[in-house]
Amino acid sequence: MSDRKPIISGNWKMNLNHFEAIQTVQKLHYSLPKEVYDSVDVSVHPPFTDIRSVQTVIEADDLDILLGAQHCHWEETGAFTGEVSPAFLAKLDVQLVVCGHSERRDLFGETDEMVNQKVHAIFKHAMTPIMCCGESLDEREAGETEAKVLSQVAAGLDRLKADQVASMVIAYEPIWAIGTGKTATADDAQTVCNAIRNAVAAQFGADAAAAVRIQYGGSVKAGTTEELMAQPDVDGALVGGASLDPDEFARIVQFAIA
Ligand code: PGA
């Protein structure tokens, strides 16, 4: 067990309107004993339209749940119709921002360069990036998993300082495991997360590699969490579908520190 604090993040994607989001975050809070947060960070990443409502609940009820976003632009303001500024997220006390999710890359054309610009912008506004990487099924079957993942990691972390890398989160999410019910085996997740940590060590030094938190994501459920979290280089999970059910998500959080 490393001394990195585990982090479990719920990526709600385009699910739950702001009423449902409030209920979900409150139920999650009631399902988790207060001491849990000493041992694990728990974040929720609602759709943009919910963020102000969830922020209000977190502040009014003094919840220990961290507020996250799923995405942002890299510019602060300007003619970017439909985009959301990292400065506006910071103003809403958002602490963590997912960037480079495979759905953004595949469906909305996000490139490694854009992901890197976002990572820098998120840091500039004193928030923490959760930078995603992962291979497709074709890439896995062609034996290209590490080459793909490590190229995304190198590009996404370009021009960062070692202490920034140390403070961030990298989410390894094999694309074929997202929303499919297929999970990488714990061994496979460990192999790739270890390769990511070694690449961070080579690029940013041993201290950054020892501190950076690496999540696994892709069909994580309560039943698979404990084995994943037992892997030395897996420090948490980025949870999609299972995070929409507060009972299941609370079980995932508790298995993460079992
Ligand atoms: P999933 O999604 O848990 O539904 O597979 C994970 C993610 O996309 O972050």
Side-chain angles (χ1 to χ4, degrees):
M1 198 66 184
S2 77
D3 52 11
R4 293 179 293 273
K5 190 176 186 187
I7 176 163
I8 305 294
S9 302
N11 173 12
W12 293 353
K13 310 193 181 187
M14 199 172 73
N15 297 292
L16 306 180
N17 64 40
H18 68 289
F19 293 116
E20 295 162 335
I22 289 170
Q23 286 181 342
T24 304
V25 81
Q26 283 176 328
K27 279 192 196 156
L28 176 64
H29 170 70
Y30 291 126
S31 309
L32 288 171
K34 198 148 177 62
E35 318 78 68
V36 154
Y37 304 98
D38 296 336
S39 317
V40 56
D41 285 337
V42 180
S43 65
V44 293
H45 300 253
F48 288 131
T49 49
D50 303 358
I51 286 182
R52 175 69 173 140
S53 308
V54 174
Q55 178 215 13
T56 305
V57 175
I58 288 178
E59 284 184 7
D61 297 352
D62 198 18
L63 309 188
D64 295 305
I65 295 166
L66 305 173
L67 182 57
Q70 301 173 14
H71 151 72
C72 68
H73 198 270
W74 57 87
E75 295 287 352
E76 275 173 46
T77 53
F80 303 103
T81 301
E83 282 295 331
V84 171
S85 158
F88 302 169
L89 295 178
K91 201 81 181 155
L92 290 168
D93 297 331
V94 166
Q95 288 160 284
L96 295 139
V97 186
V98 174
C99 56
H101 191 283
S102 62
E103 287 153 17
R104 301 290 325 167
R105 293 179 190 260
D106 292 349
L107 303 175
F108 302 102
E110 228 169 74
T111 63
D112 281 339
E113 291 68 33
M114 291 157 86
V115 174
N116 180 246
Q117 284 177 284
K118 290 174 191 220
V119 169
H120 281 276
I122 294 162
F123 274 125
K124 184 171 173 212
H125 295 283
M127 300 180 290
T128 300
I130 299 181
M131 192 195 75
C132 303
C133 55
E135 82 286 2
S136 66
L137 190 56
D138 285 352
E139 288 161 342
R140 169 158 288 250
E141 286 172 349
E144 292 165 3
T145 297
E146 284 189 23
K148 169 71 182 296
V149 168
L150 298 186
S151 78
Q152 287 181 327
V153 169
L157 303 184
D158 192 32
R159 296 176 295 109
L160 289 179
K161 298 192 176 72
D163 62 333
Q164 291 178 313
V165 177
S167 72
M168 70 182 284
V169 181
I170 298 174
Y172 166 56
E173 297 205 302
I175 298 168
W176 49 270
I178 295 177
T180 58
K182 294 187 191 133
T183 328
T185 64
D187 279 352
D188 282 345
Q190 164 58 21
T191 301
V192 181
C193 291
N194 178 258
I196 294 171
R197 199 175 303 285
N198 290 340
V200 169
Q203 209 178 339
F204 297 96
D207 289 350
V212 65
R213 292 186 289 178
I214 305 177
Q215 294 176 320
Y216 169 81
S219 297
V220 171
K221 306 266 183 305
T224 53
T225 304
E226 206 174 341
E227 200 189 352
L228 276 168
M229 293 300 295
Q231 307 306 312
D233 288 301
V234 178
D235 306 313
L238 183 54
V239 185
S243 72
L244 301 175
D245 172 354
D247 295 326
E248 174 76 1
F249 192 49
R251 278 196 292 277
I252 290 173
V253 171
Q254 289 188 299
F255 276 121
I257 51 172

